[in-house]
Amino acid sequence: MSAPAVMPLHLDDPETPREERRAPRRRRRRGGAGERPGWFVYTALSFVLLASLLPYYWSLLIGSGDSSTIRDPNMSWIPGGNFFANAAAVINDPAVNFWLALWNSIWSSTIIALSVVFFSTLAGWAFAKLRFRGASWLLIFVIATMAVPTQLGVVPLYILFADLGWTGQIGAIIIPALVTAFGVFWMTQYLRQTVPDELIEAARVDGANSFRTFLTVGLPAARPAAAMLGLFTFVTAWNNFFWPFIVLDRQNPTLPVALSLLQSNYFVDYSIVLAGVLLATIPLLILFVFTGKQLVSGIMAGAVKG
């Protein structure tokens, strides 16, 4: 005789016990993607945060002291009261020319960031969505230039700008940085994965040419990646020291070049040097404070869209 058939238990049946209907929800809550992070994640993130803030706090400790603070074995971990005096010494130093250097860094970094974003997005759109002969090999060549050290091109680049009479001018640090190979590669990969070909075909059916399609379809879609690229390009241009130190002079420096003049004496007062370093960091911190939320929302929108 055959065994009686076992009727399946329907979770949506009102006669099903309440505990059985809640079991799948509990399992999904325990193993789902919305699970709250545990104590280990918060501990690791707190450690990373403290390790990231430690150099700035150390600079604040030295920059708020005097010339003997850095050599004091019993140095207090509480900031002193000399930071504003040291910052004033940096700003009022005629050799540093602080306000001119600050303005040069702001507008040169802004122009470089905007230029890199526009030209990299334009080139990335061509590599990702346009079909032309040799596109793959040309993209490989662009990526391969990232393996060439910057120091190899310094001498011929300096000779070129010296012949043009541009040494000592801010344009000498802007022109070579108008577009980067990393920016082209970054935007190519993002646009290739984000923009569907059907959207481009719809724009062409409506009568838009290639550049019009780029402006109406490519630029809006590339906004999250362009924001990230622009921010990191601005920070890189702001902190760039090697090439500006070579091609610029003391009369027209950027901020890193100007702060290097604080160490040109026989005796280096590190309290003043680190106070100047903190002054140069403050604009970047303000930038991250005002753009951090927009960057995170842009990244999440791009991730959901992709």
Side-chain angles (χ1 to χ4, degrees):
M1 171 158 205
S2 60
V6 179
M7 296 299 293
L9 187 63
H10 297 282
L11 299 178
D12 296 332
D13 192 349
E15 297 181 358
T16 304
R18 185 177 300 177
E19 290 77 8
E20 296 294 335
R21 281 183 286 172
R22 288 183 176 179
R25 295 181 182 178
R26 293 174 181 173
R27 287 193 292 268
R28 287 196 298 267
R29 190 179 294 117
R30 290 173 184 173
E35 184 180 359
R36 293 173 61 90
W39 64 270
F40 178 78
V41 176
Y42 285 109
T43 302
L45 292 177
S46 300
F47 177 78
V48 172
L49 178 62
L50 291 176
S52 301
L53 294 178
L54 182 60
Y56 297 100
Y57 189 72
W58 176 260
S59 300
L60 179 61
L61 288 177
I62 305 299
S64 60
D66 52 26
S67 58
S68 62
T69 302
I70 194 171
R71 296 186 299 272
D72 187 1
N74 300 319
M75 182 184 65
S76 175
W77 284 89
I78 300 177
N82 296 331
F83 176 76
F84 292 103
N86 294 333
V90 174
I91 295 175
N92 296 326
D93 192 339
V96 175
N97 207 348
F98 180 82
W99 295 115
L100 176 62
L102 178 62
W103 169 248
N104 287 338
S105 292
I106 290 176
W107 81 272
S108 63
S109 300
T110 302
I111 292 177
I112 291 174
L114 293 177
S115 173
V116 168
V117 167
F118 178 76
F119 288 114
S120 297
T121 306
L122 188 62
W125 176 262
F127 284 123
K129 294 303 174 181
L130 300 184
R131 302 292 181 264
F132 57 94
R133 183 176 300 177
S136 299
W137 289 104
L138 185 58
L139 180 60
I140 292 175
F141 174 77
V142 172
I143 297 174
T145 59
M146 297 171 60
V148 180
T150 306
Q151 292 79 1
L152 292 181
V154 166
V155 173
L157 195 61
Y158 182 84
I159 295 175
L160 174 62
F161 283 109
D163 293 338
L164 294 175
W166 284 15
T167 55
Q169 304 297 323
I170 296 298
I173 65 173
I174 295 178
I175 299 300
L178 290 179
V179 65
T180 61
F182 173 77
V184 173
F185 173 73
W186 172 271
M187 298 307 301
T188 299
Q189 294 300 107
Y190 184 84
L191 291 172
R192 184 174 292 170
Q193 299 175 4
T194 304
V195 181
D197 295 335
E198 294 77 9
L199 195 59
I200 301 175
E201 294 298 330
R204 290 175 178 172
V205 169
D206 290 339
N209 56 22
S210 296
F211 191 70
R212 177 74 176 180
T213 304
F214 166 73
L215 293 178
T216 56
V217 178
L219 279 181
R223 190 176 301 167
M228 290 293 297
L229 179 62
L231 177 62
F232 289 124
T233 302
F234 183 92
V235 174
T236 302
W238 181 276
N239 294 326
N240 190 17
F241 173 76
F242 180 69
W243 173 242
F245 181 75
I246 294 175
V247 76
L248 297 180
D249 50 30
R250 295 188 176 187
Q251 285 71 34
N252 197 29
T254 56
L255 202 53
V257 176
L259 294 179
S260 68
L261 301 177
L262 295 172
Q263 307 182 53
S264 60
N265 300 323
Y266 291 102
F267 172 75
V268 179
D269 190 347
Y270 286 100
S271 62
I272 295 180
V273 172
L274 291 180
V277 170
L278 286 177
L279 288 177
T281 309
I282 289 175
L284 296 181
L285 296 179
I286 295 175
L287 178 65
F288 274 98
V289 167
F290 283 98
T291 61
K293 185 176 180 180
Q294 288 76 9
L295 286 174
V296 172
S297 61
I299 294 172
M300 296 305 297
V304 173
K305 190 181 296 183

